[in-house]
Amino acid sequence: SQQGEEDPQALSIQEGENATMNCSYKTSINNLQWYRQNSGRGLVHLILIRSNEREKHSGRLRVTLDTSKKSSSLLITASRAADTASYFCATAPFYGNKLVFGAGTILRVKS
Amino acid sequence: EAGVVQSPRYKIIEKKQPVAFWCNPISGHNTLYWYRQNLGQGPELLIRYENEEAVDDSQLPKDRFSAERLKGVDSTLKIQPAELGDSAVYLCASSLDRRVPYEQYFGPGTRLTVT
């Protein structure tokens, strides 16, 4: 079963625009992670935010976490065609070494 | 540093045939994971190893799936016999920290098609 639910399921934007993806989850977490998957390839870790953090930045990525609403968002600024991929959120519980992935958001950046 | 290596990258078999996937994790990573990813979905954990011990195999269909991790390094996932519903991408991942899940490093996956 998948805990995270991403929204939207698919997103199409022009190069240079910002892309925002959302993730909602159900149970308490230790941390939340975002991964990117290019077509036909494995997942690549993008960023991790702990439950006691509210916002984190990494290059053009900005992640927020609202534990009261059990939701997170991933913002990609100044998007590029190379950002075209599927993006997944994954939640980590306090106990047990297990990530639970959502169904992902498909991002298409048009040049 | 070499990443997670998986082979084969693609496999097409007929139903009822056996199939095996191989994974070599990043050197020094004690934790190894096998995931299955169906089309349009996120990965779902099949089994997790801490060194050579399978510590979470609750999602592994044990009637037809088996896995092993010899000497706590390489791992093999086997399906016998394969069914049409097993068509998916099988991903292997490894990580360094075993207490709480931190970032995992994924291989490119094996795309299995069962006809």
Side-chain angles (χ1 to χ4, degrees):
Chain A
S1 62
Q2 298 185 315
Q3 166 162 236
E5 293 185 4
E6 283 93 338
D7 170 60
Q9 289 184 322
L11 180 61
S12 183
I13 59 174
Q14 290 292 136
E15 203 165 26
E17 294 180 340
N18 295 342
T20 299
M21 288 159 268
N22 303 296
C23 170
S24 60
Y25 57 92
K26 299 174 184 174
T27 61
S28 296
I29 60 171
N30 175 282
N31 68 72
L32 185 145
Q33 304 175 31
W34 286 90
Y35 286 79
R36 181 187 72 223
Q37 185 176 36
N38 292 91
S39 179
R41 299 194 178 181
L43 283 77
V44 175
H45 182 267
L46 294 177
I47 195 166
L48 179 154
I49 186 166
R50 290 179 168 77
S51 60
N52 61 353
E53 297 175 313
R54 292 297 167 258
E55 186 171 315
K56 204 162 183 179
H57 296 254
S58 177
R60 294 183 296 112
L61 305 180
R62 172 179 169 251
V63 170
T64 62
L65 180 64
D66 187 334
T67 52
S68 66
K69 295 181 179 179
K70 292 186 170 58
S71 67
S72 173
S73 68
L74 171 67
L75 169 67
I76 304 174
T77 60
S79 64
R80 306 167 181 167
D83 295 328
T84 295
S86 293
Y87 292 81
F88 296 90
C89 70
T91 54
F94 280 100
Y95 302 102
N97 194 344
K98 182 175 181 176
L99 281 180
V100 180
F101 287 83
T105 292
I106 300 172
L107 173 65
R108 181 186 173 206
V109 181
K110 296 176 284 186
S111 56
Chain B
E1 178 184 83
V4 176
V5 179
Q6 289 188 249
S7 69
R9 289 294 312 277
Y10 304 92
K11 191 74 177 179
I12 301 174
I13 60 172
E14 294 183 346
K15 62 181 181 182
K16 300 184 181 180
Q17 293 301 305
V19 65
F21 315 123
W22 175 81
C23 173
N24 178 247
I26 292 174
S27 178
H29 282 194
N30 296 326
T31 307
L32 182 146
Y33 314 79
W34 282 103
Y35 289 89
R36 178 170 58 190
Q37 185 177 22
N38 293 312
L39 188 63
Q41 297 295 314
E44 292 187 314
L45 182 70
L46 290 174
I47 189 168
R48 173 170 64 91
Y49 281 93
E50 298 290 350
N51 298 306
E52 63 275 5
E53 181 183 1
V55 295
D56 183 356
D57 62 356
S58 57
Q59 298 295 105
L60 190 72
K62 297 182 183 62
D63 56 337
R64 297 183 300 107
F65 286 65
S66 65
E68 60 182 6
R69 191 181 183 195
L70 300 175
K71 301 180 181 179
V73 181
D74 294 1
S75 178
T76 302
L77 178 68
K78 298 178 181 177
I79 308 175
Q80 182 172 9
E83 298 179 351
L84 294 176
D86 295 331
S87 294
V89 176
Y90 291 83
L91 295 164
C92 179
S94 68
S95 67
L96 188 59
D97 194 299
R98 69 174 194 174
R99 293 165 299 155
V100 177
Y102 293 119
E103 62 182 289
Q104 296 181 13
Y105 297 81
F106 283 80
T110 297
R111 182 177 297 276
L112 173 67
T113 302
V114 182
T115 62

